[in-house]
Amino acid sequence: MAKLLFPLRNVPEDEADEVRALLTRHGVDWYETRPGPWGISAGGLWLRDAAAHAEARRLLDEYQQARRERVREELREHGQPGFLDLLCERPGYVLPRLLAMIAIVALMLALPWLLLR
């Protein structure tokens, strides 16, 4: 019977690729389910044989520990990106959200004045 090993909700694509490669490299028999079209199901990496779960979990735990240390080291070296870094890198992502926040704040500040009028 299949067993879920690694849910893919909010997992960066590079991490998912590394986990896929890790499982393949160690000969783990796995398959992947993709996210549903409406975002209800996240998808995941599944083991075909539940008996292999303990070994696959050990491999995954070791990988995640090494990745955690690597990412923390990168953040120490380069620092965490700030607002301006994100704005320059992904303006199409930042600007609509920023404008929506400003509109909400403006509406909240104007609402009492509009209601008392």
Side-chain angles (χ1 to χ4, degrees), residues 46-70:
W46 294 76
L47 299 175
R48 292 187 194 280
D49 181 15
H53 186 263
E55 177 63 20
R57 187 76 246 171
R58 184 190 63 76
L59 289 170
L60 190 57
D61 289 343
E62 289 173 3
Y63 161 76
Q64 287 180 324
Q65 178 64 31
R67 181 177 171 89
R68 184 178 309 115
E69 291 169 5
R70 185 178 74 230

PDB file of all heavy atoms in Angstrom, residues 46-70:
ATOM      1  N   TRP A  46       5.097   9.953  -2.990  1.00  0.00           N
ATOM      2  CA  TRP A  46       4.562   8.777  -2.330  1.00  0.00           C
ATOM      3  C   TRP A  46       5.494   7.598  -2.527  1.00  0.00           C
ATOM      4  O   TRP A  46       6.128   7.469  -3.563  1.00  0.00           O
ATOM      5  CB  TRP A  46       3.212   8.414  -2.924  1.00  0.00           C
ATOM      6  CG  TRP A  46       2.147   9.422  -2.681  1.00  0.00           C
ATOM      7  CD1 TRP A  46       2.012  10.625  -3.318  1.00  0.00           C
ATOM      8  CD2 TRP A  46       1.079   9.330  -1.760  1.00  0.00           C
ATOM      9  NE1 TRP A  46       0.908  11.281  -2.845  1.00  0.00           N
ATOM     10  CE2 TRP A  46       0.322  10.505  -1.889  1.00  0.00           C
ATOM     11  CE3 TRP A  46       0.683   8.358  -0.846  1.00  0.00           C
ATOM     12  CZ2 TRP A  46      -0.814  10.737  -1.122  1.00  0.00           C
ATOM     13  CZ3 TRP A  46      -0.447   8.596  -0.084  1.00  0.00           C
ATOM     14  CH2 TRP A  46      -1.179   9.768  -0.227  1.00  0.00           C
ATOM     15  N   LEU A  47       5.539   6.730  -1.547  1.00  0.00           N
ATOM     16  CA  LEU A  47       6.259   5.462  -1.656  1.00  0.00           C
ATOM     17  C   LEU A  47       5.281   4.399  -2.109  1.00  0.00           C
ATOM     18  O   LEU A  47       4.170   4.303  -1.592  1.00  0.00           O
ATOM     19  CB  LEU A  47       6.854   5.071  -0.305  1.00  0.00           C
ATOM     20  CG  LEU A  47       7.855   6.043   0.288  1.00  0.00           C
ATOM     21  CD1 LEU A  47       8.250   5.583   1.686  1.00  0.00           C
ATOM     22  CD2 LEU A  47       9.056   6.174  -0.600  1.00  0.00           C
ATOM     23  N   ARG A  48       5.700   3.584  -3.056  1.00  0.00           N
ATOM     24  CA  ARG A  48       4.830   2.503  -3.528  1.00  0.00           C
ATOM     25  C   ARG A  48       4.717   1.404  -2.464  1.00  0.00           C
ATOM     26  O   ARG A  48       3.685   0.774  -2.314  1.00  0.00           O
ATOM     27  CB  ARG A  48       5.373   1.913  -4.817  1.00  0.00           C
ATOM     28  CG  ARG A  48       5.285   2.857  -5.974  1.00  0.00           C
ATOM     29  CD  ARG A  48       5.684   2.176  -7.274  1.00  0.00           C
ATOM     30  NE  ARG A  48       5.912   3.137  -8.326  1.00  0.00           N
ATOM     31  CZ  ARG A  48       4.956   3.724  -9.047  1.00  0.00           C
ATOM     32  NH1 ARG A  48       3.713   3.425  -8.808  1.00  0.00           N
ATOM     33  NH2 ARG A  48       5.262   4.591  -9.988  1.00  0.00           N
ATOM     34  N   ASP A  49       5.795   1.205  -1.707  1.00  0.00           N
ATOM     35  CA  ASP A  49       5.831   0.158  -0.695  1.00  0.00           C
ATOM     36  C   ASP A  49       5.983   0.807   0.675  1.00  0.00           C
ATOM     37  O   ASP A  49       7.005   1.426   0.972  1.00  0.00           O
ATOM     38  CB  ASP A  49       7.011  -0.787  -0.972  1.00  0.00           C
ATOM     39  CG  ASP A  49       7.097  -1.924   0.023  1.00  0.00           C
ATOM     40  OD1 ASP A  49       6.116  -2.165   0.743  1.00  0.00           O
ATOM     41  OD2 ASP A  49       8.166  -2.570   0.065  1.00  0.00           O
ATOM     42  N   ALA A  50       4.985   0.666   1.505  1.00  0.00           N
ATOM     43  CA  ALA A  50       5.012   1.280   2.838  1.00  0.00           C
ATOM     44  C   ALA A  50       6.132   0.723   3.706  1.00  0.00           C
ATOM     45  O   ALA A  50       6.594   1.383   4.636  1.00  0.00           O
ATOM     46  CB  ALA A  50       3.670   1.089   3.531  1.00  0.00           C
ATOM     47  N   ALA A  51       6.626  -0.465   3.397  1.00  0.00           N
ATOM     48  CA  ALA A  51       7.708  -1.066   4.186  1.00  0.00           C
ATOM     49  C   ALA A  51       9.011  -0.286   4.026  1.00  0.00           C
ATOM     50  O   ALA A  51       9.877  -0.347   4.896  1.00  0.00           O
ATOM     51  CB  ALA A  51       7.915  -2.517   3.771  1.00  0.00           C
ATOM     52  N   ALA A  52       9.148   0.463   2.950  1.00  0.00           N
ATOM     53  CA  ALA A  52      10.366   1.250   2.715  1.00  0.00           C
ATOM     54  C   ALA A  52      10.308   2.616   3.381  1.00  0.00           C
ATOM     55  O   ALA A  52      11.247   3.402   3.264  1.00  0.00           O
ATOM     56  CB  ALA A  52      10.584   1.416   1.215  1.00  0.00           C
ATOM     57  N   HIS A  53       9.227   2.878   4.111  1.00  0.00           N
ATOM     58  CA  HIS A  53       9.042   4.209   4.689  1.00  0.00           C
ATOM     59  C   HIS A  53      10.131   4.585   5.689  1.00  0.00           C
ATOM     60  O   HIS A  53      10.624   5.710   5.686  1.00  0.00           O
ATOM     61  CB  HIS A  53       7.660   4.317   5.346  1.00  0.00           C
ATOM     62  CG  HIS A  53       7.359   5.690   5.825  1.00  0.00           C
ATOM     63  ND1 HIS A  53       7.556   6.068   7.126  1.00  0.00           N
ATOM     64  CD2 HIS A  53       6.898   6.778   5.174  1.00  0.00           C
ATOM     65  CE1 HIS A  53       7.223   7.338   7.262  1.00  0.00           C
ATOM     66  NE2 HIS A  53       6.819   7.792   6.097  1.00  0.00           N
ATOM     67  N   ALA A  54      10.530   3.680   6.553  1.00  0.00           N
ATOM     68  CA  ALA A  54      11.528   3.998   7.584  1.00  0.00           C
ATOM     69  C   ALA A  54      12.853   4.419   6.955  1.00  0.00           C
ATOM     70  O   ALA A  54      13.441   5.427   7.360  1.00  0.00           O
ATOM     71  CB  ALA A  54      11.730   2.805   8.507  1.00  0.00           C
ATOM     72  N   GLU A  55      13.322   3.677   5.968  1.00  0.00           N
ATOM     73  CA  GLU A  55      14.586   4.007   5.305  1.00  0.00           C
ATOM     74  C   GLU A  55      14.467   5.312   4.523  1.00  0.00           C
ATOM     75  O   GLU A  55      15.350   6.168   4.576  1.00  0.00           O
ATOM     76  CB  GLU A  55      15.018   2.874   4.374  1.00  0.00           C
ATOM     77  CG  GLU A  55      16.268   3.153   3.593  1.00  0.00           C
ATOM     78  CD  GLU A  55      17.513   3.351   4.470  1.00  0.00           C
ATOM     79  OE1 GLU A  55      17.521   2.914   5.632  1.00  0.00           O
ATOM     80  OE2 GLU A  55      18.477   3.955   3.966  1.00  0.00           O
ATOM     81  N   ALA A  56      13.355   5.495   3.810  1.00  0.00           N
ATOM     82  CA  ALA A  56      13.159   6.733   3.042  1.00  0.00           C
ATOM     83  C   ALA A  56      13.040   7.929   3.975  1.00  0.00           C
ATOM     84  O   ALA A  56      13.574   9.002   3.686  1.00  0.00           O
ATOM     85  CB  ALA A  56      11.915   6.603   2.172  1.00  0.00           C
ATOM     86  N   ARG A  57      12.387   7.751   5.103  1.00  0.00           N
ATOM     87  CA  ARG A  57      12.246   8.837   6.072  1.00  0.00           C
ATOM     88  C   ARG A  57      13.613   9.224   6.640  1.00  0.00           C
ATOM     89  O   ARG A  57      13.909  10.400   6.842  1.00  0.00           O
ATOM     90  CB  ARG A  57      11.311   8.380   7.204  1.00  0.00           C
ATOM     91  CG  ARG A  57      10.944   9.424   8.189  1.00  0.00           C
ATOM     92  CD  ARG A  57       9.917  10.355   7.610  1.00  0.00           C
ATOM     93  NE  ARG A  57      10.528  11.660   7.474  1.00  0.00           N
ATOM     94  CZ  ARG A  57       9.979  12.682   6.849  1.00  0.00           C
ATOM     95  NH1 ARG A  57       8.833  12.579   6.269  1.00  0.00           N
ATOM     96  NH2 ARG A  57      10.595  13.818   6.789  1.00  0.00           N
ATOM     97  N   ARG A  58      14.475   8.211   6.897  1.00  0.00           N
ATOM     98  CA  ARG A  58      15.821   8.490   7.396  1.00  0.00           C
ATOM     99  C   ARG A  58      16.609   9.296   6.367  1.00  0.00           C
ATOM    100  O   ARG A  58      17.254  10.282   6.705  1.00  0.00           O
ATOM    101  CB  ARG A  58      16.547   7.182   7.723  1.00  0.00           C
ATOM    102  CG  ARG A  58      17.928   7.390   8.338  1.00  0.00           C
ATOM    103  CD  ARG A  58      18.707   6.090   8.420  1.00  0.00           C
ATOM    104  NE  ARG A  58      18.982   5.493   7.122  1.00  0.00           N
ATOM    105  CZ  ARG A  58      19.923   5.936   6.271  1.00  0.00           C
ATOM    106  NH1 ARG A  58      20.653   6.982   6.573  1.00  0.00           N
ATOM    107  NH2 ARG A  58      20.117   5.321   5.118  1.00  0.00           N
ATOM    108  N   LEU A  59      16.538   8.894   5.104  1.00  0.00           N
ATOM    109  CA  LEU A  59      17.229   9.631   4.043  1.00  0.00           C
ATOM    110  C   LEU A  59      16.716  11.067   3.951  1.00  0.00           C
ATOM    111  O   LEU A  59      17.493  12.013   3.832  1.00  0.00           O
ATOM    112  CB  LEU A  59      17.022   8.941   2.687  1.00  0.00           C
ATOM    113  CG  LEU A  59      17.724   7.627   2.457  1.00  0.00           C
ATOM    114  CD1 LEU A  59      17.209   6.969   1.186  1.00  0.00           C
ATOM    115  CD2 LEU A  59      19.231   7.841   2.383  1.00  0.00           C
ATOM    116  N   LEU A  60      15.406  11.217   4.023  1.00  0.00           N
ATOM    117  CA  LEU A  60      14.805  12.541   3.921  1.00  0.00           C
ATOM    118  C   LEU A  60      15.176  13.417   5.118  1.00  0.00           C
ATOM    119  O   LEU A  60      15.470  14.607   4.959  1.00  0.00           O
ATOM    120  CB  LEU A  60      13.288  12.402   3.806  1.00  0.00           C
ATOM    121  CG  LEU A  60      12.518  13.655   3.452  1.00  0.00           C
ATOM    122  CD1 LEU A  60      13.015  14.254   2.148  1.00  0.00           C
ATOM    123  CD2 LEU A  60      11.040  13.344   3.362  1.00  0.00           C
ATOM    124  N   ASP A  61      15.205  12.839   6.308  1.00  0.00           N
ATOM    125  CA  ASP A  61      15.590  13.598   7.498  1.00  0.00           C
ATOM    126  C   ASP A  61      17.035  14.083   7.401  1.00  0.00           C
ATOM    127  O   ASP A  61      17.340  15.229   7.741  1.00  0.00           O
ATOM    128  CB  ASP A  61      15.396  12.767   8.761  1.00  0.00           C
ATOM    129  CG  ASP A  61      13.934  12.546   9.104  1.00  0.00           C
ATOM    130  OD1 ASP A  61      13.074  13.285   8.569  1.00  0.00           O
ATOM    131  OD2 ASP A  61      13.651  11.623   9.895  1.00  0.00           O
ATOM    132  N   GLU A  62      17.927  13.220   6.921  1.00  0.00           N
ATOM    133  CA  GLU A  62      19.330  13.622   6.745  1.00  0.00           C
ATOM    134  C   GLU A  62      19.450  14.731   5.712  1.00  0.00           C
ATOM    135  O   GLU A  62      20.184  15.703   5.903  1.00  0.00           O
ATOM    136  CB  GLU A  62      20.175  12.423   6.323  1.00  0.00           C
ATOM    137  CG  GLU A  62      20.389  11.401   7.400  1.00  0.00           C
ATOM    138  CD  GLU A  62      21.076  10.144   6.897  1.00  0.00           C
ATOM    139  OE1 GLU A  62      21.443  10.091   5.698  1.00  0.00           O
ATOM    140  OE2 GLU A  62      21.246   9.204   7.702  1.00  0.00           O
ATOM    141  N   TYR A  63      18.713  14.590   4.605  1.00  0.00           N
ATOM    142  CA  TYR A  63      18.750  15.625   3.564  1.00  0.00           C
ATOM    143  C   TYR A  63      18.241  16.957   4.108  1.00  0.00           C
ATOM    144  O   TYR A  63      18.836  18.005   3.877  1.00  0.00           O
ATOM    145  CB  TYR A  63      17.893  15.196   2.364  1.00  0.00           C
ATOM    146  CG  TYR A  63      17.518  16.366   1.500  1.00  0.00           C
ATOM    147  CD1 TYR A  63      18.448  16.937   0.630  1.00  0.00           C
ATOM    148  CD2 TYR A  63      16.267  16.948   1.582  1.00  0.00           C
ATOM    149  CE1 TYR A  63      18.131  18.042  -0.126  1.00  0.00           C
ATOM    150  CE2 TYR A  63      15.935  18.047   0.829  1.00  0.00           C
ATOM    151  CZ  TYR A  63      16.868  18.591  -0.025  1.00  0.00           C
ATOM    152  OH  TYR A  63      16.543  19.696  -0.764  1.00  0.00           O
ATOM    153  N   GLN A  64      17.120  16.928   4.828  1.00  0.00           N
ATOM    154  CA  GLN A  64      16.546  18.173   5.328  1.00  0.00           C
ATOM    155  C   GLN A  64      17.453  18.838   6.357  1.00  0.00           C
ATOM    156  O   GLN A  64      17.542  20.067   6.398  1.00  0.00           O
ATOM    157  CB  GLN A  64      15.150  17.917   5.900  1.00  0.00           C
ATOM    158  CG  GLN A  64      14.141  17.657   4.802  1.00  0.00           C
ATOM    159  CD  GLN A  64      12.749  17.400   5.324  1.00  0.00           C
ATOM    160  OE1 GLN A  64      12.560  16.784   6.386  1.00  0.00           O
ATOM    161  NE2 GLN A  64      11.763  17.863   4.585  1.00  0.00           N
ATOM    162  N   GLN A  65      18.135  18.068   7.172  1.00  0.00           N
ATOM    163  CA  GLN A  65      19.086  18.645   8.122  1.00  0.00           C
ATOM    164  C   GLN A  65      20.229  19.337   7.374  1.00  0.00           C
ATOM    165  O   GLN A  65      20.615  20.456   7.719  1.00  0.00           O
ATOM    166  CB  GLN A  65      19.633  17.559   9.062  1.00  0.00           C
ATOM    167  CG  GLN A  65      20.654  18.059  10.057  1.00  0.00           C
ATOM    168  CD  GLN A  65      20.059  19.060  11.035  1.00  0.00           C
ATOM    169  OE1 GLN A  65      18.881  18.992  11.371  1.00  0.00           O
ATOM    170  NE2 GLN A  65      20.866  19.999  11.475  1.00  0.00           N
ATOM    171  N   ALA A  66      20.767  18.673   6.354  1.00  0.00           N
ATOM    172  CA  ALA A  66      21.852  19.272   5.569  1.00  0.00           C
ATOM    173  C   ALA A  66      21.365  20.518   4.840  1.00  0.00           C
ATOM    174  O   ALA A  66      22.067  21.541   4.778  1.00  0.00           O
ATOM    175  CB  ALA A  66      22.395  18.255   4.575  1.00  0.00           C
ATOM    176  N   ARG A  67      20.162  20.487   4.288  1.00  0.00           N
ATOM    177  CA  ARG A  67      19.619  21.654   3.589  1.00  0.00           C
ATOM    178  C   ARG A  67      19.400  22.814   4.559  1.00  0.00           C
ATOM    179  O   ARG A  67      19.687  23.959   4.241  1.00  0.00           O
ATOM    180  CB  ARG A  67      18.306  21.291   2.891  1.00  0.00           C
ATOM    181  CG  ARG A  67      17.721  22.476   2.126  1.00  0.00           C
ATOM    182  CD  ARG A  67      16.466  22.101   1.384  1.00  0.00           C
ATOM    183  NE  ARG A  67      15.805  23.251   0.826  1.00  0.00           N
ATOM    184  CZ  ARG A  67      16.033  23.752  -0.369  1.00  0.00           C
ATOM    185  NH1 ARG A  67      16.922  23.185  -1.157  1.00  0.00           N
ATOM    186  NH2 ARG A  67      15.363  24.812  -0.795  1.00  0.00           N
ATOM    187  N   ARG A  68      18.874  22.511   5.741  1.00  0.00           N
ATOM    188  CA  ARG A  68      18.645  23.550   6.748  1.00  0.00           C
ATOM    189  C   ARG A  68      19.951  24.256   7.094  1.00  0.00           C
ATOM    190  O   ARG A  68      20.024  25.486   7.128  1.00  0.00           O
ATOM    191  CB  ARG A  68      18.028  22.912   7.999  1.00  0.00           C
ATOM    192  CG  ARG A  68      17.651  23.876   9.073  1.00  0.00           C
ATOM    193  CD  ARG A  68      16.996  23.178  10.260  1.00  0.00           C
ATOM    194  NE  ARG A  68      15.900  22.303   9.866  1.00  0.00           N
ATOM    195  CZ  ARG A  68      15.899  20.982  10.018  1.00  0.00           C
ATOM    196  NH1 ARG A  68      16.932  20.370  10.561  1.00  0.00           N
ATOM    197  NH2 ARG A  68      14.868  20.263   9.641  1.00  0.00           N
ATOM    198  N   GLU A  69      21.016  23.485   7.302  1.00  0.00           N
ATOM    199  CA  GLU A  69      22.313  24.081   7.623  1.00  0.00           C
ATOM    200  C   GLU A  69      22.854  24.893   6.452  1.00  0.00           C
ATOM    201  O   GLU A  69      23.401  25.980   6.644  1.00  0.00           O
ATOM    202  CB  GLU A  69      23.296  22.985   8.017  1.00  0.00           C
ATOM    203  CG  GLU A  69      22.963  22.328   9.339  1.00  0.00           C
ATOM    204  CD  GLU A  69      23.761  21.074   9.602  1.00  0.00           C
ATOM    205  OE1 GLU A  69      24.655  20.736   8.797  1.00  0.00           O
ATOM    206  OE2 GLU A  69      23.486  20.421  10.628  1.00  0.00           O
ATOM    207  N   ARG A  70      22.681  24.385   5.223  1.00  0.00           N
ATOM    208  CA  ARG A  70      23.166  25.098   4.041  1.00  0.00           C
ATOM    209  C   ARG A  70      22.431  26.423   3.851  1.00  0.00           C
ATOM    210  O   ARG A  70      23.045  27.464   3.595  1.00  0.00           O
ATOM    211  CB  ARG A  70      22.992  24.216   2.804  1.00  0.00           C
ATOM    212  CG  ARG A  70      23.581  24.815   1.545  1.00  0.00           C
ATOM    213  CD  ARG A  70      23.439  23.901   0.354  1.00  0.00           C
ATOM    214  NE  ARG A  70      22.052  23.910  -0.102  1.00  0.00           N
ATOM    215  CZ  ARG A  70      21.314  22.846  -0.347  1.00  0.00           C
ATOM    216  NH1 ARG A  70      21.815  21.646  -0.177  1.00  0.00           N
ATOM    217  NH2 ARG A  70      20.073  22.953  -0.762  1.00  0.00           N
TER     218      ARG A  70
END
